[in-house]
Amino acid sequence: MKVLVVSDIHGNLTALETVLQDAGQFDVVWCLGDLVGYGPDPNECVERVRALPGLQCVLGNHDAAALKQINLSAFNPEARKSLVWLIGRLSAESRAFLDSLPERLEVGEVTLVHGSPRRPVWEYILDNLTATANFKAFSTPYCFVGHTHLPVEYHLNKGQRLAMTAYVEAGSVLELQPRVIINPGSVGQPRDRDPRASYALFNAETRTWDQRRVEYDIASVQERMRTYNLPQRHIDRLEGGW
Ligand code: ZN
């Protein structure tokens, strides 16, 4: 079974369509949350994702914020401005779909969460200590996460005390050994200074992870964001990949 693994689409339909084209053949789609937030196409992205084959999808922190499950004062002024726009823009159908998403899923050998298995919606795994603690919070061989927008892998080999971190280069094909926490990076707002959309193809039989990057038409997304008067910083960061 060939799995398309996407995360942090963030209302960027152009990036999403480009990824779906670039991925070629896949059987099912696993989505690690944050379908909305920042980008200009929240309803379009929800509609596109929910129609994908064999979809398994978990809730992200921006999805939760769009449902007003989180106090908006937890966000900085720009993020808040963007969220207020999003809440006004989101259709009843989109809201109902986001509201149906679980925080955590187990599919075969893999646990799916947005942030971390310990705190599925909110925790960022950004260092070896946090990763190490999180290996206790899931029991499958693998855990796929998003949230940091960085294509990074954490592995904890037998007998090891501390999990180790490795950046996953575009074009690398990893044979995942138990146990691994891995992040495909972000489709709609990469933050590793590489503005190309980031995603992965996971082969559930051979347990291989194929890390991909693809260029998309960033200018057209920025244009739509300007039309909606979304924050300039969010417009600028797309082309810098931060
Ligand atoms: Zn995100």
Side-chain angles (χ1 to χ4, degrees):
M1 184 175 65
K2 216 170 170 189
V3 183
L4 171 63
V5 188
V6 292
S7 191
D8 297 277
I9 295 162
H10 280 296
N12 186 336
L13 185 68
T14 311
L16 175 61
E17 291 291 3
T18 308
V19 161
L20 292 171
Q21 277 289 319
D22 187 66
Q25 277 208 319
F26 51 86
D27 302 304
V28 297
V29 178
W30 295 353
C31 174
L32 305 170
D34 277 3
L35 283 78
V36 301
Y38 300 118
D41 322 304
N43 294 315
E44 294 81 354
C45 287
V46 169
E47 209 174 300
R48 190 72 171 100
V49 166
R50 65 188 296 188
L52 290 170
L55 179 72
Q56 301 281 359
C57 184
V58 292
L59 182 82
N61 58 312
H62 283 257
D63 307 320
L67 295 168
K68 296 191 248 178
Q69 288 179 0
I70 289 156
N71 191 332
L72 291 189
S73 64
F75 292 84
N76 68 48
E78 281 166 327
R80 210 179 310 145
K81 183 184 170 193
S82 182
L83 269 168
V84 168
W85 175 83
L86 169 63
I87 289 165
R89 182 95 185 157
L90 214 58
S91 68
E93 292 79 22
S94 299
R95 213 171 301 127
F97 176 75
L98 296 178
D99 204 27
S100 75
L101 297 177
E103 291 187 358
R104 178 191 181 112
L105 282 170
E106 271 184 34
V107 192
E109 294 185 313
V110 187
T111 298
L112 308 177
V113 287
H114 179 63
S116 77
R118 192 166 59 170
R119 287 181 56 212
V121 181
W122 277 98
E123 186 175 45
Y124 291 92
I125 303 180
L126 283 165
D127 60 76
N128 293 343
L129 285 176
T130 310
T132 305
N134 267 292
F135 274 96
K136 297 191 190 85
F138 69 101
S139 53
T140 53
Y142 312 109
C143 178
F144 296 174
V145 300
H147 198 32
T148 64
H149 299 205
L150 304 171
V152 169
E153 173 226 355
Y154 305 91
H155 46 272
L156 189 64
N157 296 332
K158 242 198 170 125
Q160 247 180 6
R161 281 162 189 257
L162 198 62
M164 300 310 284
T165 309
Y167 179 78
V168 186
E169 294 284 350
S172 44
V173 179
L174 311 178
E175 278 183 37
L176 300 188
Q177 308 293 334
R179 297 173 81 217
V180 167
I181 298 173
I182 192 164
N183 187 325
S186 166
V187 170
Q189 195 200 74
R191 292 183 187 161
D192 58 353
R193 301 272 165 186
D194 178 345
R196 293 177 299 167
S198 186
Y199 71 99
L201 286 164
F202 173 64
N203 185 317
E205 277 83 43
T206 57
R207 302 173 179 93
T208 43
W209 178 275
D210 182 354
Q211 183 66 48
R212 304 276 191 94
R213 297 302 281 252
V214 61
E215 272 180 44
Y216 70 96
D217 185 0
I218 293 173
S220 70
V221 183
Q222 292 176 313
E223 193 56 49
R224 290 197 297 284
M225 291 174 80
R226 262 180 232 114
T227 316
Y228 297 131
N229 201 20
L230 289 168
Q232 189 61 43
R233 224 173 75 90
H234 297 171
I235 297 172
D236 292 341
R237 69 191 302 178
L238 289 181
E239 68 195 66
W242 51 271

